[in-house]
mmCIF file with all atom_site columns, all heavy atoms in Angstrom:
data_model
loop_
_atom_site.group_PDB
_atom_site.id
_atom_site.type_symbol
_atom_site.label_atom_id
_atom_site.label_alt_id
_atom_site.label_comp_id
_atom_site.label_asym_id
_atom_site.label_entity_id
_atom_site.label_seq_id
_atom_site.pdbx_PDB_ins_code
_atom_site.Cartn_x
_atom_site.Cartn_y
_atom_site.Cartn_z
_atom_site.occupancy
_atom_site.B_iso_or_equiv
_atom_site.pdbx_formal_charge
_atom_site.auth_seq_id
_atom_site.auth_comp_id
_atom_site.auth_asym_id
_atom_site.auth_atom_id
_atom_site.pdbx_PDB_model_num
ATOM 1   N N   . SER Q 1 156 ? 23.291 37.997 -153.538 1.00 0.00 ? 175 SER Q N   1
ATOM 2   C CA  . SER Q 1 156 ? 23.977 36.745 -154.060 1.00 0.00 ? 175 SER Q CA  1
ATOM 3   C C   . SER Q 1 156 ? 24.871 36.183 -153.029 1.00 0.00 ? 175 SER Q C   1
ATOM 4   O O   . SER Q 1 156 ? 25.401 35.135 -153.141 1.00 0.00 ? 175 SER Q O   1
ATOM 5   C CB  . SER Q 1 156 ? 24.712 36.967 -155.439 1.00 0.00 ? 175 SER Q CB  1
ATOM 6   O OG  . SER Q 1 156 ? 24.063 37.696 -156.425 1.00 0.00 ? 175 SER Q OG  1
ATOM 7   N N   . GLY Q 1 157 ? 25.331 36.979 -152.020 1.00 0.00 ? 176 GLY Q N   1
ATOM 8   C CA  . GLY Q 1 157 ? 26.143 36.643 -150.985 1.00 0.00 ? 176 GLY Q CA  1
ATOM 9   C C   . GLY Q 1 157 ? 27.664 36.613 -151.405 1.00 0.00 ? 176 GLY Q C   1
ATOM 10  O O   . GLY Q 1 157 ? 28.583 36.110 -150.899 1.00 0.00 ? 176 GLY Q O   1
ATOM 11  N N   . THR Q 1 158 ? 27.850 37.353 -152.505 1.00 0.00 ? 177 THR Q N   1
ATOM 12  C CA  . THR Q 1 158 ? 29.278 37.467 -153.125 1.00 0.00 ? 177 THR Q CA  1
ATOM 13  C C   . THR Q 1 158 ? 29.751 38.914 -153.304 1.00 0.00 ? 177 THR Q C   1
ATOM 14  O O   . THR Q 1 158 ? 28.726 39.743 -153.291 1.00 0.00 ? 177 THR Q O   1
ATOM 15  C CB  . THR Q 1 158 ? 29.408 36.667 -154.393 1.00 0.00 ? 177 THR Q CB  1
ATOM 16  O OG1 . THR Q 1 158 ? 28.457 37.318 -155.365 1.00 0.00 ? 177 THR Q OG1 1
ATOM 17  C CG2 . THR Q 1 158 ? 29.158 35.269 -154.289 1.00 0.00 ? 177 THR Q CG2 1
ATOM 18  N N   . TRP Q 1 159 ? 30.810 39.212 -153.543 1.00 0.00 ? 178 TRP Q N   1
ATOM 19  C CA  . TRP Q 1 159 ? 31.328 40.582 -153.870 1.00 0.00 ? 178 TRP Q CA  1
ATOM 20  C C   . TRP Q 1 159 ? 32.382 40.301 -154.936 1.00 0.00 ? 178 TRP Q C   1
ATOM 21  O O   . TRP Q 1 159 ? 33.360 39.717 -154.717 1.00 0.00 ? 178 TRP Q O   1
ATOM 22  C CB  . TRP Q 1 159 ? 31.879 41.265 -152.608 1.00 0.00 ? 178 TRP Q CB  1
ATOM 23  C CG  . TRP Q 1 159 ? 32.154 42.754 -152.957 1.00 0.00 ? 178 TRP Q CG  1
ATOM 24  C CD1 . TRP Q 1 159 ? 31.133 43.592 -153.229 1.00 0.00 ? 178 TRP Q CD1 1
ATOM 25  C CD2 . TRP Q 1 159 ? 33.274 43.436 -152.833 1.00 0.00 ? 178 TRP Q CD2 1
ATOM 26  N NE1 . TRP Q 1 159 ? 31.751 44.823 -153.540 1.00 0.00 ? 178 TRP Q NE1 1
ATOM 27  C CE2 . TRP Q 1 159 ? 33.117 44.765 -153.264 1.00 0.00 ? 178 TRP Q CE2 1
ATOM 28  C CE3 . TRP Q 1 159 ? 34.653 43.141 -152.513 1.00 0.00 ? 178 TRP Q CE3 1
ATOM 29  C CZ2 . TRP Q 1 159 ? 34.125 45.762 -153.221 1.00 0.00 ? 178 TRP Q CZ2 1
ATOM 30  C CZ3 . TRP Q 1 159 ? 35.571 44.135 -152.494 1.00 0.00 ? 178 TRP Q CZ3 1
ATOM 31  C CH2 . TRP Q 1 159 ? 35.274 45.370 -152.868 1.00 0.00 ? 178 TRP Q CH2 1
ATOM 32  N N   . PHE Q 1 160 ? 32.356 40.918 -156.089 1.00 0.00 ? 179 PHE Q N   1
ATOM 33  C CA  . PHE Q 1 160 ? 33.197 40.708 -157.235 1.00 0.00 ? 179 PHE Q CA  1
ATOM 34  C C   . PHE Q 1 160 ? 33.277 39.175 -157.509 1.00 0.00 ? 179 PHE Q C   1
ATOM 35  O O   . PHE Q 1 160 ? 34.385 38.725 -157.842 1.00 0.00 ? 179 PHE Q O   1
ATOM 36  C CB  . PHE Q 1 160 ? 34.500 41.350 -157.133 1.00 0.00 ? 179 PHE Q CB  1
ATOM 37  C CG  . PHE Q 1 160 ? 34.465 42.885 -157.380 1.00 0.00 ? 179 PHE Q CG  1
ATOM 38  C CD1 . PHE Q 1 160 ? 34.400 43.793 -156.302 1.00 0.00 ? 179 PHE Q CD1 1
ATOM 39  C CD2 . PHE Q 1 160 ? 34.395 43.298 -158.723 1.00 0.00 ? 179 PHE Q CD2 1
ATOM 40  C CE1 . PHE Q 1 160 ? 34.387 45.016 -156.655 1.00 0.00 ? 179 PHE Q CE1 1
ATOM 41  C CE2 . PHE Q 1 160 ? 34.307 44.664 -158.997 1.00 0.00 ? 179 PHE Q CE2 1
ATOM 42  C CZ  . PHE Q 1 160 ? 34.422 45.542 -157.969 1.00 0.00 ? 179 PHE Q CZ  1
ATOM 43  N N   . GLY Q 1 161 ? 32.184 38.457 -157.324 1.00 0.00 ? 180 GLY Q N   1
ATOM 44  C CA  . GLY Q 1 161 ? 32.307 36.950 -157.490 1.00 0.00 ? 180 GLY Q CA  1
ATOM 45  C C   . GLY Q 1 161 ? 32.901 36.209 -156.412 1.00 0.00 ? 180 GLY Q C   1
ATOM 46  O O   . GLY Q 1 161 ? 32.904 35.030 -156.408 1.00 0.00 ? 180 GLY Q O   1
ATOM 47  N N   . MET Q 1 162 ? 33.403 36.861 -155.417 1.00 0.00 ? 181 MET Q N   1
ATOM 48  C CA  . MET Q 1 162 ? 34.043 35.965 -154.287 1.00 0.00 ? 181 MET Q CA  1
ATOM 49  C C   . MET Q 1 162 ? 33.013 35.792 -153.102 1.00 0.00 ? 181 MET Q C   1
ATOM 50  O O   . MET Q 1 162 ? 32.171 36.744 -152.820 1.00 0.00 ? 181 MET Q O   1
ATOM 51  C CB  . MET Q 1 162 ? 35.172 36.835 -153.550 1.00 0.00 ? 181 MET Q CB  1
ATOM 52  C CG  . MET Q 1 162 ? 36.482 36.886 -154.443 1.00 0.00 ? 181 MET Q CG  1
ATOM 53  S SD  . MET Q 1 162 ? 37.688 37.951 -153.622 1.00 0.00 ? 181 MET Q SD  1
ATOM 54  C CE  . MET Q 1 162 ? 36.720 39.512 -153.576 1.00 0.00 ? 181 MET Q CE  1
ATOM 55  N N   . GLU Q 1 163 ? 32.909 34.607 -152.617 1.00 0.00 ? 182 GLU Q N   1
ATOM 56  C CA  . GLU Q 1 163 ? 32.051 34.374 -151.514 1.00 0.00 ? 182 GLU Q CA  1
ATOM 57  C C   . GLU Q 1 163 ? 32.424 35.127 -150.294 1.00 0.00 ? 182 GLU Q C   1
ATOM 58  O O   . GLU Q 1 163 ? 33.648 34.941 -149.847 1.00 0.00 ? 182 GLU Q O   1
ATOM 59  C CB  . GLU Q 1 163 ? 32.043 32.957 -151.181 1.00 0.00 ? 182 GLU Q CB  1
ATOM 60  C CG  . GLU Q 1 163 ? 31.640 31.947 -152.278 1.00 0.00 ? 182 GLU Q CG  1
ATOM 61  C CD  . GLU Q 1 163 ? 30.256 31.723 -152.442 1.00 0.00 ? 182 GLU Q CD  1
ATOM 62  O OE1 . GLU Q 1 163 ? 29.454 31.877 -151.311 1.00 0.00 ? 182 GLU Q OE1 1
ATOM 63  O OE2 . GLU Q 1 163 ? 29.662 31.074 -153.446 1.00 0.00 ? 182 GLU Q OE2 1
ATOM 64  N N   . ILE Q 1 164 ? 31.636 35.961 -149.754 1.00 0.00 ? 183 ILE Q N   1
ATOM 65  C CA  . ILE Q 1 164 ? 32.133 36.675 -148.586 1.00 0.00 ? 183 ILE Q CA  1
ATOM 66  C C   . ILE Q 1 164 ? 31.172 36.564 -147.357 1.00 0.00 ? 183 ILE Q C   1
ATOM 67  O O   . ILE Q 1 164 ? 31.573 36.893 -146.244 1.00 0.00 ? 183 ILE Q O   1
ATOM 68  C CB  . ILE Q 1 164 ? 32.434 38.181 -148.757 1.00 0.00 ? 183 ILE Q CB  1
ATOM 69  C CG1 . ILE Q 1 164 ? 31.165 38.799 -149.304 1.00 0.00 ? 183 ILE Q CG1 1
ATOM 70  C CG2 . ILE Q 1 164 ? 33.456 38.351 -149.733 1.00 0.00 ? 183 ILE Q CG2 1
ATOM 71  C CD1 . ILE Q 1 164 ? 31.072 40.289 -149.059 1.00 0.00 ? 183 ILE Q CD1 1
ATOM 72  N N   . MET Q 1 165 ? 29.890 35.962 -147.556 1.00 0.00 ? 184 MET Q N   1
ATOM 73  C CA  . MET Q 1 165 ? 29.010 35.895 -146.398 1.00 0.00 ? 184 MET Q CA  1
ATOM 74  C C   . MET Q 1 165 ? 29.239 34.439 -145.823 1.00 0.00 ? 184 MET Q C   1
ATOM 75  O O   . MET Q 1 165 ? 29.826 33.532 -146.362 1.00 0.00 ? 184 MET Q O   1
ATOM 76  C CB  . MET Q 1 165 ? 27.559 35.970 -146.958 1.00 0.00 ? 184 MET Q CB  1
ATOM 77  C CG  . MET Q 1 165 ? 27.267 37.284 -147.453 1.00 0.00 ? 184 MET Q CG  1
ATOM 78  S SD  . MET Q 1 165 ? 27.632 38.791 -146.480 1.00 0.00 ? 184 MET Q SD  1
ATOM 79  C CE  . MET Q 1 165 ? 25.947 38.994 -145.829 1.00 0.00 ? 184 MET Q CE  1
ATOM 80  N N   . TRP Q 1 166 ? 28.733 34.282 -144.478 1.00 0.00 ? 185 TRP Q N   1
ATOM 81  C CA  . TRP Q 1 166 ? 28.863 33.133 -143.880 1.00 0.00 ? 185 TRP Q CA  1
ATOM 82  C C   . TRP Q 1 166 ? 28.041 32.048 -144.488 1.00 0.00 ? 185 TRP Q C   1
ATOM 83  O O   . TRP Q 1 166 ? 27.004 32.306 -145.245 1.00 0.00 ? 185 TRP Q O   1
ATOM 84  C CB  . TRP Q 1 166 ? 28.557 33.180 -142.405 1.00 0.00 ? 185 TRP Q CB  1
ATOM 85  C CG  . TRP Q 1 166 ? 27.119 33.805 -142.191 1.00 0.00 ? 185 TRP Q CG  1
ATOM 86  C CD1 . TRP Q 1 166 ? 25.994 33.037 -142.057 1.00 0.00 ? 185 TRP Q CD1 1
ATOM 87  C CD2 . TRP Q 1 166 ? 26.626 35.015 -142.182 1.00 0.00 ? 185 TRP Q CD2 1
ATOM 88  N NE1 . TRP Q 1 166 ? 24.968 33.847 -141.784 1.00 0.00 ? 185 TRP Q NE1 1
ATOM 89  C CE2 . TRP Q 1 166 ? 25.255 35.146 -141.989 1.00 0.00 ? 185 TRP Q CE2 1
ATOM 90  C CE3 . TRP Q 1 166 ? 27.423 36.401 -142.390 1.00 0.00 ? 185 TRP Q CE3 1
ATOM 91  C CZ2 . TRP Q 1 166 ? 24.556 36.338 -141.915 1.00 0.00 ? 185 TRP Q CZ2 1
ATOM 92  C CZ3 . TRP Q 1 166 ? 26.624 37.491 -142.431 1.00 0.00 ? 185 TRP Q CZ3 1
ATOM 93  C CH2 . TRP Q 1 166 ? 25.259 37.498 -142.227 1.00 0.00 ? 185 TRP Q CH2 1
ATOM 94  N N   . PRO Q 1 167 ? 28.465 30.764 -144.402 1.00 0.00 ? 186 PRO Q N   1
ATOM 95  C CA  . PRO Q 1 167 ? 27.850 29.619 -145.215 1.00 0.00 ? 186 PRO Q CA  1
ATOM 96  C C   . PRO Q 1 167 ? 26.335 29.501 -145.068 1.00 0.00 ? 186 PRO Q C   1
ATOM 97  O O   . PRO Q 1 167 ? 25.641 29.262 -146.139 1.00 0.00 ? 186 PRO Q O   1
ATOM 98  C CB  . PRO Q 1 167 ? 28.520 28.377 -144.747 1.00 0.00 ? 186 PRO Q CB  1
ATOM 99  C CG  . PRO Q 1 167 ? 29.715 28.803 -144.046 1.00 0.00 ? 186 PRO Q CG  1
ATOM 100 C CD  . PRO Q 1 167 ? 29.563 30.221 -143.544 1.00 0.00 ? 186 PRO Q CD  1
ATOM 101 N N   . SER Q 1 168 ? 25.883 29.801 -143.867 1.00 0.00 ? 187 SER Q N   1
ATOM 102 C CA  . SER Q 1 168 ? 24.385 29.556 -143.602 1.00 0.00 ? 187 SER Q CA  1
ATOM 103 C C   . SER Q 1 168 ? 23.553 30.689 -144.254 1.00 0.00 ? 187 SER Q C   1
ATOM 104 O O   . SER Q 1 168 ? 22.378 30.816 -144.132 1.00 0.00 ? 187 SER Q O   1
ATOM 105 C CB  . SER Q 1 168 ? 24.049 29.280 -142.306 1.00 0.00 ? 187 SER Q CB  1
ATOM 106 O OG  . SER Q 1 168 ? 24.426 30.413 -141.571 1.00 0.00 ? 187 SER Q OG  1
ATOM 107 N N   . PHE Q 1 169 ? 24.303 31.773 -144.762 1.00 0.00 ? 188 PHE Q N   1
ATOM 108 C CA  . PHE Q 1 169 ? 23.518 33.047 -145.225 1.00 0.00 ? 188 PHE Q CA  1
ATOM 109 C C   . PHE Q 1 169 ? 22.675 32.759 -146.435 1.00 0.00 ? 188 PHE Q C   1
ATOM 110 O O   . PHE Q 1 169 ? 23.177 32.040 -147.339 1.00 0.00 ? 188 PHE Q O   1
ATOM 111 C CB  . PHE Q 1 169 ? 24.562 34.109 -145.568 1.00 0.00 ? 188 PHE Q CB  1
ATOM 112 C CG  . PHE Q 1 169 ? 23.883 35.264 -146.165 1.00 0.00 ? 188 PHE Q CG  1
ATOM 113 C CD1 . PHE Q 1 169 ? 23.266 36.141 -145.426 1.00 0.00 ? 188 PHE Q CD1 1
ATOM 114 C CD2 . PHE Q 1 169 ? 24.010 35.480 -147.587 1.00 0.00 ? 188 PHE Q CD2 1
ATOM 115 C CE1 . PHE Q 1 169 ? 22.579 37.460 -146.085 1.00 0.00 ? 188 PHE Q CE1 1
ATOM 116 C CE2 . PHE Q 1 169 ? 23.473 36.641 -148.216 1.00 0.00 ? 188 PHE Q CE2 1
ATOM 117 C CZ  . PHE Q 1 169 ? 22.754 37.540 -147.351 1.00 0.00 ? 188 PHE Q CZ  1
ATOM 118 N N   . SER Q 1 170 ? 21.397 33.076 -146.332 1.00 0.00 ? 189 SER Q N   1
ATOM 119 C CA  . SER Q 1 170 ? 20.548 32.762 -147.444 1.00 0.00 ? 189 SER Q CA  1
ATOM 120 C C   . SER Q 1 170 ? 20.294 34.086 -148.170 1.00 0.00 ? 189 SER Q C   1
ATOM 121 O O   . SER Q 1 170 ? 19.842 35.115 -147.631 1.00 0.00 ? 189 SER Q O   1
ATOM 122 C CB  . SER Q 1 170 ? 19.220 32.101 -146.985 1.00 0.00 ? 189 SER Q CB  1
ATOM 123 O OG  . SER Q 1 170 ? 18.249 32.360 -147.863 1.00 0.00 ? 189 SER Q OG  1
ATOM 124 N N   . PRO Q 1 171 ? 20.720 34.074 -149.537 1.00 0.00 ? 190 PRO Q N   1
ATOM 125 C CA  . PRO Q 1 171 ? 20.647 35.366 -150.287 1.00 0.00 ? 190 PRO Q CA  1
ATOM 126 C C   . PRO Q 1 171 ? 19.201 35.887 -150.294 1.00 0.00 ? 190 PRO Q C   1
ATOM 127 O O   . PRO Q 1 171 ? 18.367 35.292 -150.482 1.00 0.00 ? 190 PRO Q O   1
ATOM 128 C CB  . PRO Q 1 171 ? 21.136 35.090 -151.649 1.00 0.00 ? 190 PRO Q CB  1
ATOM 129 C CG  . PRO Q 1 171 ? 21.789 33.684 -151.570 1.00 0.00 ? 190 PRO Q CG  1
ATOM 130 C CD  . PRO Q 1 171 ? 21.220 32.995 -150.375 1.00 0.00 ? 190 PRO Q CD  1
ATOM 131 N N   . TRP Q 1 172 ? 19.018 37.341 -150.295 1.00 0.00 ? 191 TRP Q N   1
ATOM 132 C CA  . TRP Q 1 172 ? 17.808 37.947 -150.346 1.00 0.00 ? 191 TRP Q CA  1
ATOM 133 C C   . TRP Q 1 172 ? 17.623 38.147 -151.866 1.00 0.00 ? 191 TRP Q C   1
ATOM 134 O O   . TRP Q 1 172 ? 17.959 39.143 -152.348 1.00 0.00 ? 191 TRP Q O   1
ATOM 135 C CB  . TRP Q 1 172 ? 17.881 39.331 -149.729 1.00 0.00 ? 191 TRP Q CB  1
ATOM 136 C CG  . TRP Q 1 172 ? 18.210 39.312 -148.337 1.00 0.00 ? 191 TRP Q CG  1
ATOM 137 C CD1 . TRP Q 1 172 ? 18.567 38.269 -147.551 1.00 0.00 ? 191 TRP Q CD1 1
ATOM 138 C CD2 . TRP Q 1 172 ? 18.320 40.520 -147.598 1.00 0.00 ? 191 TRP Q CD2 1
ATOM 139 N NE1 . TRP Q 1 172 ? 18.820 38.786 -146.304 1.00 0.00 ? 191 TRP Q NE1 1
ATOM 140 C CE2 . TRP Q 1 172 ? 18.777 40.167 -146.233 1.00 0.00 ? 191 TRP Q CE2 1
ATOM 141 C CE3 . TRP Q 1 172 ? 18.057 41.833 -147.680 1.00 0.00 ? 191 TRP Q CE3 1
ATOM 142 C CZ2 . TRP Q 1 172 ? 18.905 41.012 -145.096 1.00 0.00 ? 191 TRP Q CZ2 1
ATOM 143 C CZ3 . TRP Q 1 172 ? 18.319 42.825 -146.701 1.00 0.00 ? 191 TRP Q CZ3 1
ATOM 144 C CH2 . TRP Q 1 172 ? 18.620 42.319 -145.416 1.00 0.00 ? 191 TRP Q CH2 1
ATOM 145 N N   . GLN Q 1 173 ? 16.770 37.249 -152.492 1.00 0.00 ? 192 GLN Q N   1
ATOM 146 C CA  . GLN Q 1 173 ? 16.771 37.268 -153.910 1.00 0.00 ? 192 GLN Q CA  1
ATOM 147 C C   . GLN Q 1 173 ? 16.345 38.544 -154.449 1.00 0.00 ? 192 GLN Q C   1
ATOM 148 O O   . GLN Q 1 173 ? 16.551 38.965 -155.532 1.00 0.00 ? 192 GLN Q O   1
ATOM 149 C CB  . GLN Q 1 173 ? 15.722 36.165 -154.479 1.00 0.00 ? 192 GLN Q CB  1
ATOM 150 C CG  . GLN Q 1 173 ? 15.941 35.730 -155.800 1.00 0.00 ? 192 GLN Q CG  1
ATOM 151 C CD  . GLN Q 1 173 ? 16.143 34.236 -155.956 1.00 0.00 ? 192 GLN Q CD  1
ATOM 152 O OE1 . GLN Q 1 173 ? 15.327 33.495 -155.595 1.00 0.00 ? 192 GLN Q OE1 1
ATOM 153 N NE2 . GLN Q 1 173 ? 17.318 33.961 -156.470 1.00 0.00 ? 192 GLN Q NE2 1
ATOM 154 N N   . VAL Q 1 174 ? 15.391 39.219 -153.658 1.00 0.00 ? 193 VAL Q N   1
ATOM 155 C CA  . VAL Q 1 174 ? 14.705 40.391 -154.140 1.00 0.00 ? 193 VAL Q CA  1
ATOM 156 C C   . VAL Q 1 174 ? 15.706 41.601 -154.390 1.00 0.00 ? 193 VAL Q C   1
ATOM 157 O O   . VAL Q 1 174 ? 15.627 42.334 -155.302 1.00 0.00 ? 193 VAL Q O   1
ATOM 158 C CB  . VAL Q 1 174 ? 13.762 41.026 -153.112 1.00 0.00 ? 193 VAL Q CB  1
ATOM 159 C CG1 . VAL Q 1 174 ? 14.377 41.447 -151.844 1.00 0.00 ? 193 VAL Q CG1 1
ATOM 160 C CG2 . VAL Q 1 174 ? 12.950 42.044 -153.774 1.00 0.00 ? 193 VAL Q CG2 1
ATOM 161 N N   . MET Q 1 175 ? 16.899 41.438 -153.863 1.00 0.00 ? 194 MET Q N   1
ATOM 162 C CA  . MET Q 1 175 ? 17.915 42.523 -154.099 1.00 0.00 ? 194 MET Q CA  1
ATOM 163 C C   . MET Q 1 175 ? 18.431 42.528 -155.342 1.00 0.00 ? 194 MET Q C   1
ATOM 164 O O   . MET Q 1 175 ? 18.998 43.442 -155.822 1.00 0.00 ? 194 MET Q O   1
ATOM 165 C CB  . MET Q 1 175 ? 19.114 42.400 -152.989 1.00 0.00 ? 194 MET Q CB  1
ATOM 166 C CG  . MET Q 1 175 ? 18.642 42.660 -151.581 1.00 0.00 ? 194 MET Q CG  1
ATOM 167 S SD  . MET Q 1 175 ? 17.720 44.235 -151.446 1.00 0.00 ? 194 MET Q SD  1
ATOM 168 C CE  . MET Q 1 175 ? 19.062 45.408 -151.804 1.00 0.00 ? 194 MET Q CE  1
ATOM 169 N N   . ILE Q 1 176 ? 18.546 41.331 -156.142 1.00 0.00 ? 195 ILE Q N   1
ATOM 170 C CA  . ILE Q 1 176 ? 19.041 41.398 -157.554 1.00 0.00 ? 195 ILE Q CA  1
ATOM 171 C C   . ILE Q 1 176 ? 17.930 41.448 -158.502 1.00 0.00 ? 195 ILE Q C   1
ATOM 172 O O   . ILE Q 1 176 ? 18.193 41.540 -159.714 1.00 0.00 ? 195 ILE Q O   1
ATOM 173 C CB  . ILE Q 1 176 ? 19.919 40.140 -157.834 1.00 0.00 ? 195 ILE Q CB  1
ATOM 174 C CG1 . ILE Q 1 176 ? 19.304 38.888 -157.464 1.00 0.00 ? 195 ILE Q CG1 1
ATOM 175 C CG2 . ILE Q 1 176 ? 21.293 40.262 -157.145 1.00 0.00 ? 195 ILE Q CG2 1
ATOM 176 C CD1 . ILE Q 1 176 ? 20.102 37.631 -157.956 1.00 0.00 ? 195 ILE Q CD1 1
ATOM 177 N N   . LEU Q 1 177 ? 16.709 41.661 -157.967 1.00 0.00 ? 196 LEU Q N   1
ATOM 178 C CA  . LEU Q 1 177 ? 15.594 41.832 -158.903 1.00 0.00 ? 196 LEU Q CA  1
ATOM 179 C C   . LEU Q 1 177 ? 15.273 43.362 -158.969 1.00 0.00 ? 196 LEU Q C   1
ATOM 180 O O   . LEU Q 1 177 ? 15.972 44.105 -158.094 1.00 0.00 ? 196 LEU Q O   1
ATOM 181 C CB  . LEU Q 1 177 ? 14.345 41.103 -158.441 1.00 0.00 ? 196 LEU Q CB  1
ATOM 182 C CG  . LEU Q 1 177 ? 14.485 39.625 -158.495 1.00 0.00 ? 196 LEU Q CG  1
ATOM 183 C CD1 . LEU Q 1 177 ? 13.314 38.952 -157.839 1.00 0.00 ? 196 LEU Q CD1 1
ATOM 184 C CD2 . LEU Q 1 177 ? 14.757 39.178 -159.926 1.00 0.00 ? 196 LEU Q CD2 1
ATOM 185 N N   . PRO Q 1 178 ? 14.593 43.798 -160.013 1.00 0.00 ? 197 PRO Q N   1
ATOM 186 C CA  . PRO Q 1 178 ? 14.374 45.347 -160.072 1.00 0.00 ? 197 PRO Q CA  1
ATOM 187 C C   . PRO Q 1 178 ? 13.854 45.971 -158.754 1.00 0.00 ? 197 PRO Q C   1
ATOM 188 O O   . PRO Q 1 178 ? 14.374 47.080 -158.373 1.00 0.00 ? 197 PRO Q O   1
ATOM 189 C CB  . PRO Q 1 178 ? 13.264 45.362 -161.233 1.00 0.00 ? 197 PRO Q CB  1
ATOM 190 C CG  . PRO Q 1 178 ? 13.654 44.268 -161.931 1.00 0.00 ? 197 PRO Q CG  1
ATOM 191 C CD  . PRO Q 1 178 ? 13.982 43.130 -161.147 1.00 0.00 ? 197 PRO Q CD  1
ATOM 192 N N   . PRO Q 1 179 ? 13.004 45.420 -157.997 1.00 0.00 ? 198 PRO Q N   1
ATOM 193 C CA  . PRO Q 1 179 ? 12.508 46.129 -156.730 1.00 0.00 ? 198 PRO Q CA  1
ATOM 194 C C   . PRO Q 1 179 ? 13.737 46.221 -155.857 1.00 0.00 ? 198 PRO Q C   1
ATOM 195 O O   . PRO Q 1 179 ? 13.785 47.384 -155.060 1.00 0.00 ? 198 PRO Q O   1
ATOM 196 C CB  . PRO Q 1 179 ? 11.563 45.175 -156.082 1.00 0.00 ? 198 PRO Q CB  1
ATOM 197 C CG  . PRO Q 1 179 ? 11.025 44.337 -157.238 1.00 0.00 ? 198 PRO Q CG  1
ATOM 198 C CD  . PRO Q 1 179 ? 12.184 44.137 -158.172 1.00 0.00 ? 198 PRO Q CD  1
ATOM 199 N N   . GLY Q 1 180 ? 14.634 45.457 -155.706 1.00 0.00 ? 199 GLY Q N   1
ATOM 200 C CA  . GLY Q 1 180 ? 15.852 45.681 -154.967 1.00 0.00 ? 199 GLY Q CA  1
ATOM 201 C C   . GLY Q 1 180 ? 16.691 46.770 -155.279 1.00 0.00 ? 199 GLY Q C   1
ATOM 202 O O   . GLY Q 1 180 ? 17.240 47.580 -154.405 1.00 0.00 ? 199 GLY Q O   1
ATOM 203 N N   . ALA Q 1 181 ? 16.635 47.076 -156.591 1.00 0.00 ? 200 ALA Q N   1
ATOM 204 C CA  . ALA Q 1 181 ? 17.401 48.275 -157.027 1.00 0.00 ? 200 ALA Q CA  1
ATOM 205 C C   . ALA Q 1 181 ? 16.776 49.464 -156.485 1.00 0.00 ? 200 ALA Q C   1
ATOM 206 O O   . ALA Q 1 181 ? 17.451 50.496 -155.939 1.00 0.00 ? 200 ALA Q O   1
ATOM 207 C CB  . ALA Q 1 181 ? 17.447 48.380 -158.525 1.00 0.00 ? 200 ALA Q CB  1
ATOM 208 N N   . PHE Q 1 182 ? 15.407 49.543 -156.553 1.00 0.00 ? 201 PHE Q N   1
ATOM 209 C CA  . PHE Q 1 182 ? 14.738 50.755 -156.047 1.00 0.00 ? 201 PHE Q CA  1
ATOM 210 C C   . PHE Q 1 182 ? 14.928 50.968 -154.468 1.00 0.00 ? 201 PHE Q C   1
ATOM 211 O O   . PHE Q 1 182 ? 15.244 51.939 -153.948 1.00 0.00 ? 201 PHE Q O   1
ATOM 212 C CB  . PHE Q 1 182 ? 13.271 50.617 -156.356 1.00 0.00 ? 201 PHE Q CB  1
ATOM 213 C CG  . PHE Q 1 182 ? 12.954 50.991 -157.737 1.00 0.00 ? 201 PHE Q CG  1
ATOM 214 C CD1 . PHE Q 1 182 ? 12.631 49.919 -158.571 1.00 0.00 ? 201 PHE Q CD1 1
ATOM 215 C CD2 . PHE Q 1 182 ? 12.955 52.315 -158.145 1.00 0.00 ? 201 PHE Q CD2 1
ATOM 216 C CE1 . PHE Q 1 182 ? 12.337 50.381 -159.881 1.00 0.00 ? 201 PHE Q CE1 1
ATOM 217 C CE2 . PHE Q 1 182 ? 12.641 52.573 -159.510 1.00 0.00 ? 201 PHE Q CE2 1
ATOM 218 C CZ  . PHE Q 1 182 ? 12.357 51.598 -160.448 1.00 0.00 ? 201 PHE Q CZ  1
#
Side-chain angles (χ1 to χ4, degrees):
Chain Q
S175 311
T177 58
W178 192 60
F179 280 102
M181 292 175 297
E182 301 269 347
I183 57 160
M184 299 303 263
W185 55 98
S187 63
F188 173 77
S189 159
W191 307 359
Q192 201 126 62
V193 67
M194 291 309 289
I195 51 171
L196 295 176
F201 284 102

